[in-house]
C-alpha cells in the first residue's frame, strides 16, 4: 500500500499494511491505520461542503494529524498551506486572511476552525494546486509559492528514480512542513510506500535522545540543511558503529561545506552524501550529485551542487567575465507563480518559453557540466535552510519609535551564514532582550537576530552606502 501521487489516492501494492508509515511526535501509524485515518478525515472535511480548490491552512508541528491532513487535502483537491508553530499567531492570521480560507486544521488541539463567511473561496485549476508555501518576502509580506500537481509529479519521478530510494526507505524528518525541504520526506514516503519519522524541535535539540530515536526506527535516509548536521558531527556517538542504518545523507537549502561532507564520510564510510540545489519556486530541488571523496579532493574550495535534472534547463543570465550568471530555471517543476502577486510574477516568472521559468536571484556557474553556486543577488539569505529577507527584520525594528535606523547583517564563515546581527541607532537606551521579544510577536524565531548592537552612527563607504564590512569589523572587535 502507498499513496499514488498520480491518482492522489491510496493503491494496494506489495507492502505490508502493518508496516509503520508515520512515526510522529505524538503517536505511530501503520500504513493500514494511516489509510484509515486519512479516509475518515476526508469524510469529516466533506461535511463542510468546501468547493474544490478551497485553500486549507494546516497549523501544527510534528503531529501525525499533520501528515493525515495534508494527504486528505491532496486527495480532495484542496490546496493545503502548512504553517508550523515556529510562526507567531500574527503571521498565521495574516496567511489565513491572504488566502481567504474558511478552514483551518489545528493538529495540536486536533480541531477544525471554520469560518463560513469564506466558504466560497476557490482556486481550482485544471492543474491542481497541491500546496502553497509562504516564504519571506522583500516587501515585508510573506510570499505564497504555488506548487501544482504537474510540478510535484515531475519532482516525484526524479526523486523515485535518481536518489537510490525504495519502499524500505525510512526518512528522518526534522524540517517543519512549512519549509519545502520537508517535501523530500513527504513525497518519498508517500510515493514509495516507505516510512517517515517526524522529529520535533525539542527532540532534535536533545542529541542523545535524537540518536536513540534514529536507531529505534531504523532511519536510513537523513534529510537536512548542512548546518543542521554540523552540530551532530561534534558528537562521538554520531557514527556508523552507533547508528548503523543511516546510509543516505541528503542536503539542500544551503551551501554544503567540503569539511562537512568529509566528516560525514569519515563517520559513515559506506554512506552516500547527496548534494542538491533548488528554490521553493522550483519544487524543492533541480540538481543532484553524489559527493564522493574524489569530488571533495578535486573541488575542496566549493563543492558542486550537481547535474541538472532531466527535462529541466538552467540558463545563466548576464554572464560576467568569470562565467558567473544569474540562474534561471526552466521546466515542469517550476511554480505557476506567487499567490496573488502579479507584479512580482511578471519579474520572476516571465512567460518566454514553452515551459514555465523562474529567475532565481542566485548566481552560479558550470564546470564539467556540473552547476556550482556562487552567491545571492539580493539580501535574501538562508540561515539553517530558512529563507530570510533581511529587510523584513529591519522593518520590524523600525516600528519602534525609539529606533531611528536599523540594519541586519549575516555573520558568515566562508559561504555559510552562522547568525544574524542587527545594528541599531536609537534615541534612547533600550534593553536588547526587550527588542527581541517585541519582534518575535511578528517574526518566527529564526528571524530574530542573535545579537543587537547599538551605535551612535553607521559607517559609510565611498558610495555613501552603509559599510557592511565595517560593521562586521566593529562587531568582531567588541
Amino acid at each position: 500500500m502507498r499513496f499514488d501521487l498520480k491518482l492522489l489516492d491510496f493503491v494496494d501494492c506489495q507492502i505490508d499494511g502493518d508496516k509503520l508509515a508515520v512515526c510522529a511526535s505524538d503517536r505511530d501509524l501503520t500504513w493500514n491505520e494511516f489509510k484509515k485515518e486519512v479516509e475518515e478525515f476526508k469524510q469529516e472535511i466533506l461535511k463542510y461542503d468546501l468547493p474544490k480548490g478551497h485553500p486549507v491552512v494546516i497549523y501544527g508541528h510534528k503531529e501525525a494529524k499533520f501528515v493525515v491532513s495534508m494527504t486528505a487535502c491532496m486527495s480532495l483537491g484542496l490546496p493545503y498551506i502548512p504553517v508550523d508553530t515556529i510562526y507567531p499567531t500574527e503571521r498565521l492570521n495574516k496567511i489565513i486572511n491572504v488566502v481567504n480560507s474558511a478552514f483551518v486544521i489545528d493538529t495540536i488541539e486536533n480541531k477544525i476552525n471554520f469560518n463560513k463567511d469564506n466558504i466560497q473561496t476557490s482556486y481550482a485549476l485544471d492543474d491542481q494546486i497541491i500546496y502553497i508555501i509562504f516564504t519571506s518576502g522583500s516587501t515585508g509580506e510573506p510570499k505564497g509559492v504555488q506548487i501544482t500537481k504537474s510540478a510535484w509529479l515531475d519532482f516525484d519521478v526524479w526523486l523515485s528514480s535518481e536518489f537510490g530510494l525504495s519502499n524500505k526507505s525510512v526518512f528522518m524528518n526534522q524540517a517543519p512542513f512549512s519549509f519545502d525541504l520537508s517535501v523530500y520526506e513527504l513525497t518519498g514516503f508517500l510515493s514509495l510506500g516507505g516510512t517517515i519519522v517526524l522529529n520535533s524541535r525539542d527532540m532534535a535539540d536533545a542529541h542523545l535522545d535524537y540518536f536513540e530515536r534514529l536507531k529505534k526506527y531504523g532511519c536510513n535516509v537523513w534529510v537536512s540543511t548542512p548546518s543542521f548536521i554540523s552540530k551532530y558531527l561534534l558528537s562521538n556517538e554520531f557514527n556508523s558503529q552507533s547508528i548503523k542504518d543511516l546510509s543516505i545523507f541528503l542536503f539542500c537549502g544551503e551551501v554544503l561545506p567540503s569539511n562537512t561532507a568529509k566528516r560525514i564520510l569519515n563517520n559513515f564510510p559506506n554512506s552516500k552524501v547527496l548534494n542538491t540545489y533548488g528554490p521553493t519556486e522550483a519544487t524543492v530541488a533541480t540538481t543532484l550529485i553524489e559527493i564522493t571523496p574524489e569530488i571533495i579532493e578535486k573541488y575542496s574550495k566549493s563543492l558542486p551542487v550537481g547535474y541538472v535534472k532531466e527535462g529541466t534547463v538552467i540558463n545563466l543570465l548576464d554572464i560576467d567575465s568569470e562565467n558567473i550568471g544569474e540562474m534561471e530555471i526552466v521546466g515542469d517543476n517550476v511554480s505557476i507563480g506567487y499567490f496573488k502577486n502579479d507584479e512580482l510574477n511578471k519579474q520572476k516568472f516571465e512567460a518566454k518559453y514553452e515551459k514555465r521559468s523562474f529567475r532565481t536571484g542566485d548566481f552560479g556557474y558550470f564546470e564539467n557540466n556540473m552547476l556550482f553556486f556562487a552567491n545571492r543577488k539580493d539580501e535574501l539569505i538562508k540561515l539553517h535552510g530558512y529563507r530570510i529577507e533581511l529587510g523584513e527584520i529591519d522593518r520590524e525594528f523600525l516600528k519602534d519609535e525609539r529606533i531611528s535606523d536599523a540594519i541586519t547583517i549575516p555573520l558568515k564563515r566562508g559561504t555559510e551564514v552562522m547568525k544574524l546581527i542587527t545594528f541599531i541607532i536609537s534615541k534612547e537606551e533600550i534593553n536588547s532582550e526587550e527588542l527581541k521579544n517585541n519582534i518575535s510577536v511578528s517574526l518566527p524565531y529564526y528571524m530574530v537576530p542573535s545579537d543587537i548592537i547599538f551605535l551612535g552612527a553607521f559607517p559609510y563607504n565611498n558610495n555613501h552606502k552603509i559599510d557592511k564590512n565595517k560593521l562586521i569589523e566593529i562587531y568582531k572587535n567588541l
Side-chain angles (χ1 to χ4, degrees), residues 93-304:
N93 292 332
K94 182 180 288 187
I95 290 172
I96 293 170
N97 292 332
V98 166
V99 299
N100 205 35
S101 177
F103 206 80
V104 180
I105 302 168
D106 186 331
T107 65
I108 301 171
E109 300 293 333
N110 194 24
K111 66 179 182 180
I112 293 170
N113 297 316
F114 179 64
N115 177 5
K116 63 180 180 180
D117 293 338
N118 295 336
I119 193 171
Q120 295 306 317
T121 303
S122 175
Y123 306 118
L125 301 173
D126 291 337
D127 187 6
Q128 175 186 330
I129 299 173
I130 297 293
Y131 64 78
I132 305 174
I133 284 183
F134 280 82
T135 66
S136 180
S138 58
T139 62
E141 298 297 322
K143 297 181 298 185
V145 180
Q146 305 171 98
I147 298 298
T148 61
K149 181 179 178 181
S150 65
W152 201 9
L153 287 177
D154 184 80
F155 171 72
D156 170 51
V157 169
W158 182 51
L159 183 69
S160 300
S161 60
E162 300 295 327
F163 286 71
L165 305 172
S166 71
N167 59 19
K168 295 181 180 179
S169 294
V170 181
F171 297 88
M172 184 284 301
N173 162 263
Q174 52 79 29
F177 291 114
S178 51
F179 177 22
D180 73 315
L181 181 65
S182 64
V183 177
Y184 267 127
E185 303 96 275
L186 183 66
T187 304
F189 116 86
L190 284 175
S191 178
L192 297 169
T195 302
I196 187 170
V197 179
L198 312 184
N199 298 284
S200 68
R201 193 167 68 189
D202 289 342
M203 173 61 71
D205 287 339
H207 290 190
L208 294 181
D209 290 342
Y210 194 50
F211 295 159
E212 289 303 314
R213 187 167 173 82
L214 295 180
K215 288 187 269 188
K216 175 183 177 181
Y217 292 106
C219 295
N220 50 33
V221 183
W222 174 290
V223 183
S224 79
T225 61
S227 58
F228 180 84
I229 199 172
S230 60
K231 58 186 177 181
Y232 296 99
L233 288 168
L234 298 174
S235 172
N236 293 330
E237 300 294 320
F238 194 56
N239 54 58
S240 58
Q241 287 73 41
S242 176
I243 305 173
K244 303 181 185 302
D245 293 301
L246 278 177
S247 57
I248 295 177
F249 292 86
L250 174 56
F251 297 104
C252 196
E254 290 175 334
V255 172
L256 175 62
S258 57
N259 284 343
T260 299
K262 188 181 299 183
R263 288 162 67 186
I264 293 169
L265 290 174
N266 285 339
N267 289 11
F268 297 87
N270 296 318
S271 67
K272 288 185 177 182
V273 174
L274 304 179
N275 196 20
T276 65
Y277 161 80
T280 305
E281 292 86 348
T283 317
V284 190
T286 306
T287 67
L288 168 68
I289 188 171
E290 180 182 351
I291 302 298
T292 62
E294 292 74 23
I295 290 285
I296 294 172
E297 183 177 355
K298 187 173 182 178
Y299 303 102
S300 59
K301 186 177 179 181
S302 178
L303 294 177

Side-chain angles (χ1 to χ4, degrees), residues 345-357:
N345 287 340
K346 289 176 183 177
Q347 300 173 26
K348 306 291 281 186
F349 297 91
E350 187 179 354
K352 56 182 178 179
Y353 306 106
E354 291 184 3
K355 293 187 177 182
R356 297 187 293 267
S357 68

